[in-house]
Amino acid sequence: MDVADAEAHIRPILGDVQTEGAAAVLRWTERLDGVHPPALRVPGERLERAAADLDPAVRAAMLESIARARKVHADQRRVDITTQVVPGGSVTERWLPVERVGLYVPGGRAVYPSSVIMNVVPAQLAGVPSLAVVSPPQPDFDGWPHPTILAACALLGVEEVYAVGGAQAVAMLAYGVDLPGGGRCEPVDLVTGPGNIYVTAAKRALQGIIGIDSEAGPTEIAILADDTADAAHVAADLISQAEHDVVAAAVLVTDSEALADAVEAEVVRQVASTKHVERITEALSGVQSAILVVDDLEAGLRLVDAYAAEHLEIHTRDAREWAMRVRNAGAIFVGTYSPVSLGDYAAGSNHVLPTAGAARHSSGLSVQSFLRGIHIVEYDEAALRDVAPHVLALSSAEDLPGHGDAIRIRTAPVGDRE
C-alpha cells in the first residue's frame, strides 16, 4: 500500500471528524486501536505523575537530550533584517512563529519520547505560543498514551496532550473539536511529526487546511564505507535502523569487497542475538535493503547522492571531507563514533528528517520549520517616484494597467493621472 491507497481508507475518518467532532474521534479510535480513552485530553495530574514515576536514569537521559537539542536549535533562530534598497526605500524581513502547532508522537512497535523532544524543542525555541501533542492511547496504560511519552511532555512543559493517534488525530488537530465534558481542542496551523502511512495520508489530504512538515516514510540508513571501516560497527548501524520496521531500508555502499563480505557475516552474527530478530531479518532481506559494491568512492558518492537517504553515515578515510561533498541527505554522520543512534537521541541534531528521496529538496525539522518570513516594505514618496518608470514599464509589459495606475496616481502630476 502506498500513501495514495491509504488516502482512500482515511477519507471517511476525516469527513466524520469534520462533521461529528469528538464523537467520531472516539469512535474511530475504539474501532482502529481497540481502546476507548478515559478522556481525549490527558489530565495535568496524569502528566505530573508520569514525570514523577519516571526511571531516574531515563529522566537524566531525557534532560540531557533536551539540553543538547536546545543548544543546537537555539543557534537556528532567525533575526529580523532590514535592507536599505535605496534612500527612502527599505524591505524588512520579519520572522514570526506559527500561532498554534500540533505535534504528532507515534505509538506502535516502539515508544518515542525522543520524538516529543525533537518536535517540541524547535517549536518552543521558535516562539510558538500554543502547542498540542497527540499520541495514541495504549490499552496497557488505562487508555492513556505511554507514560514515558507523557513524562517527556511534562519535562518540556507541554500541558496540552491528547490520547488520540492515527488519521483521526490529524483531523482533530486540523478541524478542532469540542471535548466531551467541556473544553475544546482548537484547530492548529501546522502539524509536524512522523507517523504510519495513515497519518501520512491524513497529512497529505489535509494539507492546505493545515501546513505540514513532510510526508514521513519508512526510516532509511545508507552507509558509504571503504576498507578502513569497522565491519562490526557498520553491521550494528544497519541493524539499528532495521529494527524500526519491517519496511525500514538499510543500504551499505562500499568499494571494498572484503568489507562487504565482512559486514554480511557480522549482520548474520549480530542479528541472532538481537531482541527483534524477525522484524530486523525481514527489513534486511527486503528489496529496500542491500550491500552494493562500487568501483570506487567517487561512484559511491554519486550513488548515495542519488539515493538521498534520511540518514547517511560516512566510514572512510578523511570522512569529513567526503561528508562535505554530499549534497543530498537528511543528516550526515561522520566517522565511526557518530552513529545514527547518537543522532536519534542525544547528538543535539533533530531526528525528524526527510525520507523517500525528499532530502533532494527538503530539510529536517528545525526552528525554521515553525517560522514564517514576512516582508515589510517601506518606501517614501521620493523613492517611489524614482522607481515608478520601471514599475510602469513592467506593468505595461504584463498588460496589467491597473498596476501602473496605482503607481501613477501617486507619482504623476495631477493633470497627467488620467
Side-chain angles (χ1 to χ4, degrees):
M1 179 185 292
D2 61 18
V3 176
D5 295 328
E7 197 169 343
H9 289 272
I10 56 92
R11 282 287 180 184
I13 301 174
L14 306 187
D16 286 355
V17 173
Q18 184 179 19
T19 57
E20 301 175 45
V25 173
L26 289 166
R27 185 174 69 251
W28 280 106
T29 296
E30 189 165 11
R31 177 175 172 181
L32 297 174
D33 297 334
V35 58
H36 190 97
L40 280 178
R41 183 161 178 173
V42 179
E45 57 267 23
R46 193 87 192 186
L47 299 174
E48 294 170 6
R49 190 187 321 157
D53 293 344
L54 194 61
D55 177 271
V58 176
R59 181 187 185 93
M62 280 192 194
L63 291 173
E64 183 65 22
S65 178
I66 291 167
R68 293 186 179 207
R70 282 180 173 156
K71 186 172 185 178
V72 171
H73 288 79
D75 282 343
Q76 298 172 355
R77 286 183 292 199
R78 300 275 187 121
V79 296
D80 296 355
I81 297 176
T82 297
T83 302
Q84 199 70 37
V85 183
V86 293
S90 68
V91 175
T92 297
E93 186 166 42
R94 189 178 183 207
W95 291 96
L96 294 173
V98 174
E99 185 67 25
R100 177 164 164 80
V101 174
L103 309 172
Y104 191 96
V105 179
R109 290 187 173 91
V111 183
Y112 293 104
S114 57
S115 285
V116 181
I117 296 169
M118 298 298 171
N119 279 271
V120 170
V121 166
Q124 288 178 332
L125 286 172
V128 174
S130 178
L131 298 175
V133 169
V134 295
S135 191
Q138 305 293 323
D140 293 340
F141 299 102
D142 302 324
W144 300 115
H146 196 286
T148 309
I149 300 295
L150 301 183
C153 291
L155 292 178
L156 286 157
V158 177
E159 299 178 348
E160 188 178 353
V161 184
Y162 296 95
V164 57
Q168 61 270 28
V170 182
M172 182 185 78
L173 292 171
Y175 296 123
V177 300
D178 293 321
L179 303 174
R184 177 170 171 79
C185 173
E186 295 291 345
V188 304
D189 303 302
L190 173 70
V191 172
T192 71
N196 64 20
I197 194 169
Y198 299 106
V199 172
T200 300
K203 290 168 73 174
R204 175 185 288 185
L206 293 168
Q207 191 171 9
I209 298 173
I210 52 171
I212 66 171
D213 53 344
S214 64
E215 294 185 6
T219 191
E220 308 155 347
I221 180 173
I223 299 177
L224 180 64
D226 62 15
D227 59 2
T228 66
D230 186 307
H233 295 173
V234 171
D237 295 349
L238 294 171
I239 291 168
S240 73
Q241 294 306 297
E243 76 175 341
H244 274 289
D245 200 297
V246 295
V247 292
V251 177
L252 168 62
V253 179
T254 180
D255 63 348
S256 169
E257 291 188 15
L259 178 70
D261 292 340
V263 168
E264 188 170 16
E266 273 291 328
V267 166
V268 172
R269 185 185 68 80
Q270 292 184 32
V271 167
S273 61
T274 58
K275 179 178 180 180
H276 306 293
V277 176
E278 292 183 2
R279 184 193 312 166
I280 293 167
T281 300
E282 186 171 347
L284 293 177
S285 60
V287 294
Q288 74 276 12
S289 299
I291 295 176
L292 304 172
V293 179
V294 293
D295 291 337
D296 52 39
L297 284 183
E298 291 289 348
L301 179 61
R302 292 193 297 271
L303 184 55
V304 297
D305 254 341
Y307 183 31
E310 177 188 18
H311 309 99
L312 174 63
E313 290 187 359
I314 309 291
H315 294 248
T316 65
R317 296 177 184 83
D318 305 317
R320 180 172 175 80
E321 292 181 19
W322 285 100
M324 297 303 288
R325 294 179 59 192
V326 173
R327 297 192 59 81
N328 301 324
I332 303 172
F333 300 82
V334 182
T336 197
Y337 297 106
S338 305
V340 169
S341 296
L342 173 65
D344 281 343
Y345 298 114
S349 58
N350 204 293
H351 79 198
V352 182
L353 300 167
T355 61
R360 291 178 294 106
H361 53 73
S362 298
S363 305
L365 204 65
S366 70
V367 170
Q368 281 87 271
S369 303
F370 300 95
L371 295 174
R372 300 156 297 133
I374 301 175
H375 280 177
I376 300 174
V377 180
E378 295 179 271
Y379 272 57
D380 63 19
E381 182 179 359
L384 180 62
R385 286 184 181 279
D386 183 62
V387 78
H390 299 300
V391 178
L392 293 172
L394 289 170
S395 66
S396 177
E398 294 188 353
D399 192 25
L400 296 172
H403 284 60
D405 290 343
I407 300 297
R408 192 176 291 109
I409 200 170
R410 290 169 167 81
T411 60
V414 174
D416 296 336
R417 293 178 183 178
E418 296 301 328

